[in-house]
Amino acid sequence: MKRLFPSLQETATLGSVFRRFPAKLGPLVAQLNLVMRGESDLTIAQRELIAAYVSGLNACAFCHGAHSVHAQAFGVDVGVIEAVIQDPLSAPVDPKVRPILSYVSKLTRTPAMMIEEDAKAVYDAGWSEDALFDAVQVCGLFNMMNRILEGTGITEYYLDPENVEEHQLAPLRSEECYTEFGRQNGVTD
Amino acid sequence: MKRLFPSLQETATLGSVFRRFPAKLGPLVAQLNLVMRGESDLTIAQRELIAAYVSGLNACAFCHGAHSVHAQAFGVDVGVIEAVIQDPLSAPVDPKVRPILSYVSKLTRTPAMMIEEDAKAVYDAGWSEDALFDAVQVCGLFNMMNRILEGTGITEYYLDPENVEEHQLAPLRSEECYTEFGRQNGVTD
Amino acid sequence: MKRLFPSLQETATLGSVFRRFPAKLGPLVAQLNLVMRGESDLTIAQRELIAAYVSGLNACAFCHGAHSVHAQAFGVDVGVIEAVIQDPLSAPVDPKVRPILSYVSKLTRTPAMMIEEDAKAVYDAGWSEDALFDAVQVCGLFNMMNRILEGTGITEYYLDPENVEEHQLAPLRSEECYTEFGRQNGVTD
Amino acid sequence: MKRLFPSLQETATLGSVFRRFPAKLGPLVAQLNLVMRGESDLTIAQRELIAAYVSGLNACAFCHGAHSVHAQAFGVDVGVIEAVIQDPLSAPVDPKVRPILSYVSKLTRTPAMMIEEDAKAVYDAGWSEDALFDAVQVCGLFNMMNRILEGTGITEYYLDPENVEEHQLAPLRSEECYTEFGRQNGVTD
Amino acid sequence: MKRLFPSLQETATLGSVFRRFPAKLGPLVAQLNLVMRGESDLTIAQRELIAAYVSGLNACAFCHGAHSVHAQAFGVDVGVIEAVIQDPLSAPVDPKVRPILSYVSKLTRTPAMMIEEDAKAVYDAGWSEDALFDAVQVCGLFNMMNRILEGTGITEYYLDPENVEEHQLAPLRSEECYTEFGRQNGVTD
Amino acid sequence: MKRLFPSLQETATLGSVFRRFPAKLGPLVAQLNLVMRGESDLTIAQRELIAAYVSGLNACAFCHGAHSVHAQAFGVDVGVIEAVIQDPLSAPVDPKVRPILSYVSKLTRTPAMMIEEDAKAVYDAGWSEDALFDAVQVCGLFNMMNRILEGTGITEYYLDPENVEEHQLAPLRSEECYTEFGRQNGVTD
């Protein structure tokens, strides 16, 4: 942890940030739940993989670790997530997902440099505009969350994605996972 | 405009994106309103200046233009916004605001590289942790919004920030400015 | 379009820029024609592919789109151009072309960081020094053209490279294609 | 020198490159002469300063050195050029020139990220569209030339800009300086 | 801390890394002592300031914090170090030091892009070649140390540079400060 | 060569730098010898390959050339080194080495952005912590050496890695290769 906010303790996590500023985050957790658990042409596993990937690109260890675990809760092998971070083009994911990963990678690094071919590669792989918009939303949301974590100094995640147990994964499968996390940490509507 | 989403017309704006995907953005507009118009140790003018600055760094012309206009609605001279974009350290802003601008600039460009001194410079200028958290939130939200705009190809703003008229500024002063914009464009709760 | 030059209309293209400054571009169109259509160990298709690729790296949508169409006029499949942009190392191009693409990519991004091995990879693939010089010239010219387009705010191309018709491709096969475009837009010798 | 082109000798300069490929550069030297010595709202000294500055940003030591000397031939103090490279905002140049230097700096580094405010800062300083276009042209041309030099391995300039003598400066004041240099090195029309 | 080396404990510091690999670091601590405490045209305070600055550029919080404290032991005000990190050109340091800071900044970020003018600015400020070489050495050493810290996951320093006490500063003034630190942590010759 | 140090001759090499500053480099050559020739879970060939690769990333032509030759002395084919520079993921190296190359690549470019997954990929390939630490050390040392070379203007290596002869390779196989090079160039203990 970096002591950017002296009132946060050395052991602070995202929950600590929520409890410190409970009145400022209500709609955000609702938006996270809507984008990550709502209806979509992308599976939940795909959305969590995008969240983990974008967070890895930004080197946000907290979000990267957390969403590697979320993705596992929906059946993604931890080795796949590691391979995507090393090189999405050769990782053992459904090839259909690769142009989506390329799109969010570029949108994360150089948002103003998208060209039409980036989108065409996604559509050519068989995705709908709704799917691409949802990928853009996940990309946008985690570019936000990564900055909330890094901007408050929360640089580590408390679980080891390689050693999580079923009882830790089960609650992540809740349809209200993100809003529940907010509620548990005092975030008000 | 870049034709990243073929169903959006050549003249599409953020409102068009909202009308295209109305069910996916409800809590987001509420969060924007909370962060940009809610209680804060930062004035609304300061928050809109941060939004315009972050968007300029990301070269998101739509958000940069839009929030230059919002900032003007709260008394910021358009020349000041231009000067901040050219060089925040020499721009004619309250010197107290400079370490905040440095913080959000670094958090935008290299989020994982914040060091404690970046935060200390903010506190040494007299700001509270609440103020810094609000700056982090504005920074995070516009890193998100910039990617929603650029990721859907909306690359231009329709007003010229140097030639806006009072009747265009008045509605921006509403306490519900962001949620109203959502409602007008069909975004549902 | 970005309104960087107020005298250019919202619908301006490269032709508009030529008509606005006709006396300043004569030798440039001749140089473009010489490099892109003159004798070379690189085929015209290969030169147009390099032009499209460099322009894609710089996110110059106008030149990228335009030279994707030019390349098609000389038999390059639009899907190949898209694949090169996504990843030149795995794209279905003649493997001999890959070290040329790597060379111009590095020369575009970090011109002062070429090392001898970059050139050796080109020669080892069987290319002559003349071929490499022509690739350097195409790379240099489009780094120039990309900045003329982006520096005047022309950010979009008017054709869709995925839907061009033969009658649009035919004129591009002229040996005087570039100088004719200059002449049609009033550029004087 | 980097041995990127084995046929060029260890002592090769830009003239050597011209003599090696004389048939491929004729219109280019004419374009250089037109842009750098033709009519313009920018003085020749200002254009040479931009050329030196852009080349410094790209770390092209040959062009940076050469155009530092050219600028001196038109009265620019070598110390001013050095100061511009260190920090254009604090360098002792006419403040009117600073937004031009900011424009070409951004156009060199991230060409696709210009925003309208970048151009406004130039116009607000009193410049015409013609002046800005000429700055864009100089910027574009030296982004090209830098890549021709670095792409052929010519990494050093043979004069020391701090110790040039009047007899070395005089020929640079010719109205045909660039075309003469081409002619002397065998470049054909 | 990032758990890059599982055998290092959550509370590991540089001393822990030394104790983990004692046989691999002996000459390194001697080189650190020679460069940071040996004879030089740069004062020890100036060398420690460069070390803190380079480490800040690389966002190596451990080295940045540690050498901010070292610099204080030699009379540098902590506010000055903070100001240098925010903007070396406007920080209240001896103006003579600024071109040295610019040199090591560029050498840290883009080592292959130095140009002669970067060195001239240093000499014009009155420095000797020996002084510049020592600055290059400090820059090189901390680019190494930053990677040893970040590459082993030691991301935080244990003291707060703003609240150090005299008894913590005294040992840093030893002429054998770096070698003693090695010895205390088991590093063998 | 760049004339950054006027007292170094046009033909200067690393040996010249050593002879110019003999009293400042003694422990450094010992550290180089310890890391590059001492006991390690990495073979000498692997360490020299890492040194050449890191130097290539930094475009330090001297170190890249020199350590390409060193690697050849230990049996690495020069074509393999070239392939690694072009693309380590597809180069014909032992796949076990790839995550090590990825680790040092990221640690070179963005040292503060390592995440636990980067290390896991190394351990999953079967490497020990000692091996990873040695890779970190080689990476750190050459990030230092690259800056000493580039910071003193030594930009070229005098041998052609593609045409070295056995009698030039033999001395590089000495167990004291690095310290001998120091001694031959007057570096004192």
Side-chain angles (χ1 to χ4, degrees):
Chain A
M1 195 211 185
K2 296 173 188 165
R3 303 304 304 260
L4 305 178
F5 281 70
S7 71
L8 292 176
Q9 287 191 286
E10 185 64 35
T11 54
T13 70
L14 180 59
S16 317
V17 174
F18 278 24
R19 291 190 298 275
R20 176 75 179 74
F21 303 106
K24 295 179 171 180
L25 296 152
L28 178 59
V29 296
Q31 182 70 12
L32 279 163
N33 209 86
L34 178 63
V35 170
M36 300 304 288
R37 292 291 177 274
E39 295 212 353
S40 172
D41 288 356
L42 297 170
T43 65
I44 294 180
Q46 288 167 337
R47 283 175 269 168
E48 292 289 354
L49 179 63
I50 295 169
Y53 178 53
V54 163
S55 302
L57 292 177
N58 282 329
C60 177
F62 184 94
C63 291
H64 178 67
H67 295 278
S68 294
V69 172
H70 277 256
Q72 285 182 66
F74 290 88
V76 183
D77 186 87
V78 70
V80 169
I81 302 167
E82 288 174 11
V84 165
I85 285 289
Q86 294 302 311
D87 180 38
L89 293 173
S90 68
V93 289
D94 181 354
K96 185 178 173 178
V97 176
R98 284 179 195 152
I100 293 266
L101 295 175
S102 292
Y103 201 93
V104 297
S105 166
K106 191 171 181 184
L107 191 59
T108 295
R109 298 184 207 254
T110 51
M113 291 176 72
M114 305 311 295
I115 57 177
E116 295 181 15
E117 228 145 82
D118 297 312
K120 274 177 195 158
V122 172
Y123 302 134
D124 287 352
W127 295 102
S128 64
E129 284 192 17
D130 276 78
L132 181 55
F133 185 71
D134 292 348
V136 167
Q137 286 246 78
V138 177
C139 175
L141 264 177
F142 282 87
N143 268 285
M144 174 174 189
M145 293 308 296
N146 296 169
R147 284 170 177 83
I148 289 184
L149 274 294
E150 295 293 329
T152 53
I154 313 298
T155 55
E156 300 163 52
Y157 187 55
Y158 39 86
L159 294 180
D160 174 357
E162 292 217 329
N163 289 293
V164 282
E165 294 172 24
E166 174 53 30
H167 74 91
Q168 293 169 312
L169 295 178
L172 306 179
R173 296 193 191 102
S174 155
E175 284 188 9
E176 301 290 327
C177 168
Y178 289 86
T179 43
E180 277 164 16
F181 179 77
R183 206 172 306 126
Q184 287 160 9
N185 287 290
V187 169
T188 53
D189 288 338
Chain B
M1 195 213 184
K2 296 172 188 165
R3 302 304 303 259
L4 305 179
F5 280 70
S7 71
L8 292 175
Q9 286 191 287
E10 186 63 37
T11 54
T13 70
L14 180 59
S16 317
V17 175
F18 278 25
R19 290 190 299 274
R20 175 75 178 76
F21 303 106
K24 296 180 171 179
L25 296 151
L28 177 60
V29 297
Q31 181 71 12
L32 278 164
N33 209 85
L34 177 64
V35 170
M36 299 305 287
R37 291 291 178 275
E39 296 213 350
S40 172
D41 288 356
L42 297 170
T43 66
I44 294 180
Q46 288 166 338
R47 283 175 270 168
E48 292 289 354
L49 179 63
I50 295 169
Y53 178 52
V54 163
S55 303
L57 292 177
N58 282 329
C60 177
F62 183 94
C63 291
H64 177 66
H67 295 278
S68 294
V69 172
H70 278 257
Q72 285 183 66
F74 291 89
V76 183
D77 187 86
V78 69
V80 169
I81 302 167
E82 288 175 11
V84 165
I85 285 288
Q86 294 300 312
D87 180 37
L89 294 173
S90 68
V93 290
D94 181 353
K96 185 177 172 177
V97 176
R98 285 180 193 150
I100 292 266
L101 295 175
S102 292
Y103 200 91
V104 298
S105 167
K106 190 172 182 185
L107 191 59
T108 294
R109 296 184 209 253
T110 51
M113 290 176 70
M114 306 310 295
I115 56 177
E116 295 181 15
E117 227 146 82
D118 297 312
K120 274 177 194 156
V122 172
Y123 301 135
D124 287 352
W127 295 103
S128 65
E129 283 191 20
D130 275 78
L132 181 54
F133 185 71
D134 291 349
V136 167
Q137 286 245 78
V138 177
C139 175
L141 264 177
F142 282 87
N143 268 287
M144 174 174 190
M145 293 307 295
N146 295 169
R147 283 170 177 83
I148 289 184
L149 274 294
E150 295 294 329
T152 53
I154 313 297
T155 55
E156 301 162 51
Y157 187 55
Y158 38 87
L159 295 180
D160 174 358
E162 292 218 330
N163 289 293
V164 282
E165 295 173 22
E166 174 53 30
H167 74 91
Q168 293 169 313
L169 295 177
L172 307 178
R173 296 193 191 101
S174 156
E175 285 188 7
E176 301 291 328
C177 168
Y178 289 86
T179 43
E180 276 165 17
F181 180 77
R183 206 172 307 126
Q184 286 160 9
N185 287 290
V187 169
T188 53
D189 288 338
Chain C
M1 194 211 188
K2 296 171 187 166
R3 303 305 302 260
L4 305 178
F5 280 69
S7 71
L8 292 175
Q9 286 191 287
E10 186 63 36
T11 55
T13 71
L14 180 59
S16 317
V17 175
F18 278 24
R19 290 189 299 275
R20 176 75 178 74
F21 302 105
K24 294 179 171 179
L25 296 153
L28 177 60
V29 297
Q31 181 71 13
L32 279 163
N33 209 84
L34 177 64
V35 170
M36 299 305 288
R37 291 291 177 275
E39 294 212 352
S40 172
D41 289 355
L42 297 170
T43 65
I44 294 181
Q46 288 166 338
R47 283 175 269 168
E48 292 290 354
L49 179 63
I50 295 169
Y53 178 52
V54 163
S55 303
L57 292 177
N58 281 329
C60 176
F62 184 94
C63 292
H64 178 67
H67 295 278
S68 295
V69 172
H70 277 256
Q72 285 182 67
F74 291 89
V76 183
D77 187 85
V78 68
V80 169
I81 302 166
E82 288 174 12
V84 165
I85 285 289
Q86 293 301 311
D87 180 38
L89 293 172
S90 68
V93 288
D94 181 353
K96 185 178 173 177
V97 176
R98 283 178 195 151
I100 292 267
L101 295 174
S102 292
Y103 200 92
V104 298
S105 166
K106 190 171 180 184
L107 191 58
T108 295
R109 298 184 207 255
T110 51
M113 290 175 72
M114 305 312 293
I115 57 177
E116 296 182 15
E117 227 145 83
D118 297 311
K120 275 177 195 157
V122 172
Y123 301 136
D124 287 351
W127 295 103
S128 64
E129 284 192 17
D130 276 79
L132 181 55
F133 185 70
D134 292 348
V136 167
Q137 286 246 77
V138 177
C139 175
L141 265 177
F142 283 86
N143 268 286
M144 174 174 190
M145 293 307 297
N146 295 168
R147 283 169 178 84
I148 289 184
L149 274 293
E150 294 295 328
T152 54
I154 314 297
T155 55
E156 299 163 52
Y157 186 57
Y158 40 85
L159 294 180
D160 175 357
E162 293 218 330
N163 289 294
V164 282
E165 294 172 24
E166 175 52 30
H167 73 90
Q168 293 169 314
L169 295 178
L172 306 179
R173 298 195 190 101
S174 157
E175 285 188 7
E176 301 291 327
C177 168
Y178 290 87
T179 43
E180 276 165 15
F181 180 76
R183 207 172 305 127
Q184 286 160 9
N185 288 291
V187 169
T188 54
D189 287 339
Chain D
M1 194 211 187
K2 295 172 187 164
R3 302 305 303 261
L4 305 178
F5 280 69
S7 71
L8 291 175
Q9 287 193 286
E10 186 64 36
T11 54
T13 71
L14 181 58
S16 318
V17 175
F18 278 24
R19 290 190 299 273
R20 175 76 178 76
F21 302 106
K24 295 180 170 179
L25 296 153
L28 178 60
V29 297
Q31 182 70 14
L32 278 163
N33 210 85
L34 177 64
V35 170
M36 300 304 288
R37 292 291 178 275
E39 294 212 353
S40 173
D41 289 356
L42 297 170
T43 64
I44 294 181
Q46 288 166 340
R47 283 174 269 168
E48 291 290 354
L49 178 64
I50 295 169
Y53 178 53
V54 163
S55 302
L57 292 176
N58 282 329
C60 176
F62 184 94
C63 292
H64 178 66
H67 295 278
S68 294
V69 172
H70 277 256
Q72 286 182 65
F74 291 89
V76 182
D77 187 86
V78 68
V80 169
I81 302 167
E82 289 175 11
V84 165
I85 285 289
Q86 293 301 311
D87 180 37
L89 294 172
S90 69
V93 290
D94 181 352
K96 185 178 173 177
V97 176
R98 284 180 195 150
I100 293 266
L101 294 175
S102 292
Y103 200 91
V104 297
S105 166
K106 190 171 180 184
L107 191 59
T108 294
R109 298 184 208 256
T110 51
M113 291 176 70
M114 305 312 294
I115 57 177
E116 295 181 14
E117 228 146 80
D118 297 311
K120 275 177 195 157
V122 172
Y123 302 135
D124 288 351
W127 295 102
S128 64
E129 285 192 18
D130 275 78
L132 181 55
F133 185 70
D134 292 348
V136 167
Q137 286 246 77
V138 177
C139 175
L141 264 177
F142 282 87
N143 269 285
M144 174 174 189
M145 293 307 296
N146 295 169
R147 283 169 178 83
I148 289 184
L149 274 294
E150 295 294 329
T152 54
I154 314 297
T155 55
E156 301 163 50
Y157 187 56
Y158 38 87
L159 295 180
D160 174 357
E162 292 218 330
N163 289 294
V164 282
E165 295 173 24
E166 174 53 29
H167 73 89
Q168 293 169 315
L169 295 177
L172 306 178
R173 297 195 190 99
S174 156
E175 284 188 8
E176 301 290 328
C177 168
Y178 290 86
T179 43
E180 275 164 17
F181 180 77
R183 207 172 306 127
Q184 286 160 9
N185 287 291
V187 169
T188 54
D189 287 340
Chain E
M1 195 213 186
K2 295 172 188 165
R3 303 306 302 261
L4 305 179
F5 280 69
S7 71
L8 292 175
Q9 286 192 288
E10 186 63 36
T11 54
T13 71
L14 180 60
S16 317
V17 175
F18 278 23
R19 291 190 299 275
R20 176 76 178 73
F21 303 106
K24 295 180 171 178
L25 297 152
L28 177 60
V29 297
Q31 181 71 12
L32 278 163
N33 209 85
L34 177 64
V35 170
M36 300 305 289
R37 292 291 177 274
E39 294 212 352
S40 173
D41 287 357
L42 297 170
T43 65
I44 293 180
Q46 287 166 339
R47 283 175 270 168
E48 291 290 353
L49 178 63
I50 295 169
Y53 178 52
V54 163
S55 302
L57 291 177
N58 281 329
C60 176
F62 183 94
C63 292
H64 178 66
H67 295 277
S68 295
V69 172
H70 277 257
Q72 285 182 66
F74 291 88
V76 183
D77 187 85
V78 69
V80 169
I81 303 167
E82 288 175 11
V84 165
I85 285 289
Q86 293 301 310
D87 180 37
L89 293 173
S90 68
V93 290
D94 181 352
K96 185 178 173 178
V97 176
R98 283 179 197 152
I100 292 267
L101 295 174
S102 292
Y103 200 92
V104 297
S105 166
K106 191 172 180 183
L107 191 59
T108 295
R109 297 183 208 256
T110 51
M113 291 176 71
M114 304 311 294
I115 57 177
E116 296 181 15
E117 228 145 80
D118 297 312
K120 275 178 194 156
V122 172
Y123 301 135
D124 287 352
W127 295 103
S128 64
E129 284 191 19
D130 276 78
L132 181 56
F133 185 70
D134 292 348
V136 167
Q137 285 247 77
V138 177
C139 175
L141 265 177
F142 282 87
N143 268 285
M144 175 175 188
M145 292 307 296
N146 296 168
R147 282 169 179 84
I148 290 184
L149 274 294
E150 295 294 330
T152 54
I154 314 297
T155 56
E156 300 163 51
Y157 186 57
Y158 38 85
L159 295 180
D160 175 357
E162 292 218 331
N163 290 293
V164 282
E165 294 172 24
E166 175 52 31
H167 74 89
Q168 293 169 313
L169 295 178
L172 306 179
R173 297 195 190 101
S174 156
E175 285 188 8
E176 301 290 328
C177 168
Y178 290 86
T179 42
E180 276 165 16
F181 180 76
R183 206 172 305 127
Q184 287 160 10
N185 287 291
V187 169
T188 54
D189 288 338
Chain F
M1 194 211 188
K2 295 172 186 165
R3 303 305 303 260
L4 305 179
F5 280 70
S7 71
L8 292 175
Q9 287 191 288
E10 186 64 35
T11 55
T13 71
L14 180 58
S16 318
V17 175
F18 278 24
R19 290 190 298 275
R20 175 75 178 76
F21 303 106
K24 294 180 171 178
L25 296 152
L28 177 60
V29 296
Q31 182 71 14
L32 278 163
N33 210 85
L34 177 65
V35 170
M36 300 304 288
R37 291 291 178 274
E39 294 213 352
S40 173
D41 288 356
L42 297 170
T43 65
I44 294 181
Q46 288 167 338
R47 283 174 270 167
E48 292 290 354
L49 179 64
I50 296 169
Y53 178 52
V54 163
S55 302
L57 292 176
N58 282 329
C60 176
F62 184 94
C63 292
H64 178 67
H67 294 278
S68 295
V69 173
H70 278 257
Q72 285 182 66
F74 290 89
V76 183
D77 187 86
V78 68
V80 169
I81 303 166
E82 288 175 11
V84 165
I85 284 289
Q86 294 302 311
D87 181 36
L89 294 172
S90 69
V93 289
D94 182 354
K96 185 178 173 178
V97 176
R98 284 180 194 149
I100 292 265
L101 295 174
S102 292
Y103 200 92
V104 297
S105 167
K106 190 172 181 184
L107 191 59
T108 294
R109 298 184 208 256
T110 51
M113 290 175 70
M114 305 311 294
I115 57 177
E116 295 181 15
E117 228 146 82
D118 297 311
K120 274 177 195 158
V122 172
Y123 301 135
D124 288 351
W127 296 103
S128 64
E129 284 192 18
D130 275 79
L132 182 55
F133 185 69
D134 292 349
V136 167
Q137 286 246 78
V138 177
C139 175
L141 264 177
F142 282 87
N143 268 285
M144 174 174 190
M145 292 309 296
N146 295 168
R147 283 168 178 84
I148 289 184
L149 274 295
E150 295 294 329
T152 54
I154 313 297
T155 55
E156 300 164 52
Y157 186 56
Y158 40 86
L159 295 180
D160 174 357
E162 292 218 330
N163 289 294
V164 282
E165 295 172 23
E166 174 52 30
H167 73 91
Q168 293 169 313
L169 295 177
L172 306 179
R173 298 195 189 101
S174 156
E175 284 188 8
E176 301 290 327
C177 169
Y178 291 87
T179 43
E180 276 164 17
F181 179 76
R183 206 172 307 126
Q184 286 160 10
N185 287 291
V187 168
T188 53
D189 288 339

